[in-house]
Amino acid sequence: MSQQLINAISIGSIYALFAVGYALVFGVLDVLNLAHSAVFMLGAVFAYSLIVLHGMSFLVAVPLAMIASGSLGLVIEYVALRPLRRRNAPQISALISTIGLALIMVAVVEQARSGTPLAWLWQDGANSVRFPVAAFPNPTWHIAGLTVEGSRVEIVLVTLVLVLLLSLVLRYSQIGRALRAVAENPRAALLLGIQVERIFAITLFISSALGGLAGILFAVATSNIDPYIGRDQVELKGLAVIVLGGMGSVPGAVVGGYLLGLIEVISFVRFGSTVQAGVAFLALFLILVLRPRGLFGARHRERL
């Protein structure tokens, strides 16, 4: 059980980092960005391509992959969200638009499997790929009968540092105050001189960069990258996490991510892998029945 708790903390870190991107966009733009799972997948694909196909080191490839993922967030904003917002389209339109963009992103990676013209992105003909073992240091420690992998410790530390940094930026920086003002009331923020459209773009960039990093960490933890890791592995879990923590709440997304990881591990130990996902979502359902607004939700609360 103790060994599984270590796994829960590491996978919970990935859920938390992924869900923070969801929560950030929902908190500021009041829409669900369902292309976030495709950005998650492409973050891992970009890092893999830079390391394996272009010979970069892991420490160089990861920041570049985060920048590329953040740039995809700008594509989502300018292609899928802003045109609809300017036409006062209903929120369901943004939902459908981001789903369509996610399908396009997955199709691009699928096309890369067959080589040209996207051979720079994927190993020709491979159904799934992984980072080389030598790409990043992964020492193993044996402590009190437990096996602790260095990669899992690094995943937790990276997540905690980035979440803390994001919280400090949101709370104390000028951009953070502008983000919180737009999240509270975009019209009032515009009257105060805040460039609301610019804040929307910054929000998509930050959330997508974090989502891309979450995809990289997931690929490190599972030794697997394929075009569907976002859709099949984390999309619904990320949505469950932000609902559990409170829609639009960054602290809630973090706590919800770790809680979901813990629930999954307990269900795996007690019932096995066949019912793991079902038990996890049943527990989430019961919590939401008791507290519909989530752990950090309230009737009147400050977003972000």
Side-chain angles (χ1 to χ4, degrees), residues 4-299:
Q4 292 299 328
L5 287 176
I6 295 175
N7 298 335
I9 294 172
S10 63
I11 197 66
S13 297
I14 296 171
Y15 292 159
L17 197 59
F18 177 78
V20 162
Y22 262 146
L24 196 60
V25 171
F26 186 84
V28 176
L29 280 76
D30 204 27
V31 298
L32 278 174
N33 173 24
L34 293 185
H36 195 56
S37 61
V39 174
F40 171 92
M41 175 270 296
L42 279 167
V45 170
F46 287 146
Y48 164 81
S49 175
L50 293 173
I51 293 169
V52 176
L53 304 182
H54 301 285
M56 293 188 182
S57 69
F58 189 80
L59 293 179
V60 173
V62 169
L64 291 178
M66 289 180 65
I67 294 172
S69 299
S71 300
L72 286 177
L74 296 180
V75 172
I76 295 169
E77 161 64 7
Y78 286 105
V79 173
L81 297 178
R82 184 169 296 189
L84 296 176
R85 192 166 58 245
R86 288 181 173 176
R87 291 174 174 81
N88 294 320
Q91 287 189 343
I92 189 67
S93 300
L95 205 66
I96 295 172
S97 181
T98 56
I99 291 174
L101 198 54
L103 293 175
I104 292 173
M105 292 178 184
V106 172
V108 167
V109 178
E110 281 281 4
Q111 179 62 35
R113 287 180 174 183
S114 60
T116 56
L118 296 169
W120 58 272
L121 193 63
W122 193 269
Q123 188 173 348
D124 187 18
N127 291 324
S128 65
V129 293
R130 56 191 291 180
F131 291 127
V133 176
F136 53 92
N138 187 25
T140 301
W141 302 288
H142 300 281
I143 304 173
L146 301 177
T147 300
V148 181
E149 295 181 15
S151 60
R152 295 190 179 275
V153 174
E154 291 163 5
I155 287 170
V156 175
L157 291 178
V158 167
T159 298
L160 293 178
V161 168
L162 286 180
V163 169
L164 177 60
L165 181 61
L166 178 62
S167 299
L168 292 175
V169 168
L170 289 175
R171 185 59 55 185
Y172 298 110
S173 71
Q174 183 176 355
I175 290 179
R177 287 191 289 270
L179 282 168
R180 289 189 288 119
V182 173
E184 193 68 29
N185 192 322
R187 187 169 298 179
L190 185 63
L191 293 175
L192 291 173
I194 297 174
Q195 299 180 27
V196 173
E197 296 293 329
R198 178 171 173 265
I199 293 300
F200 287 162
I202 291 173
T203 301
L204 263 298
F205 183 89
I206 294 173
S207 68
S208 297
L210 294 177
L213 178 60
I216 296 170
L217 298 181
F218 182 85
V220 169
T222 62
S223 297
N224 178 63
I225 306 170
D226 69 61
Y228 305 105
I229 57 172
R231 185 195 68 184
D232 295 343
Q233 302 289 337
V234 299
E235 184 174 37
L236 291 179
K237 293 178 181 178
L239 291 173
V241 165
I242 64 170
V243 173
L244 173 61
M247 297 292 287
S249 170
V250 169
V254 175
V255 174
Y258 283 109
L259 184 57
L260 178 59
L262 180 62
I263 292 172
E264 283 193 337
V265 164
I266 292 175
S267 63
F268 175 77
V269 172
R270 296 296 182 184
F271 305 105
S273 59
T274 55
V275 295
Q276 178 182 357
V279 171
F281 280 98
L282 175 61
L284 289 172
F285 172 77
L286 294 176
I287 292 174
L288 292 178
V289 167
L290 299 175
R291 190 175 177 84
R293 296 184 183 90
L295 297 176
F296 283 70
R299 186 178 299 276

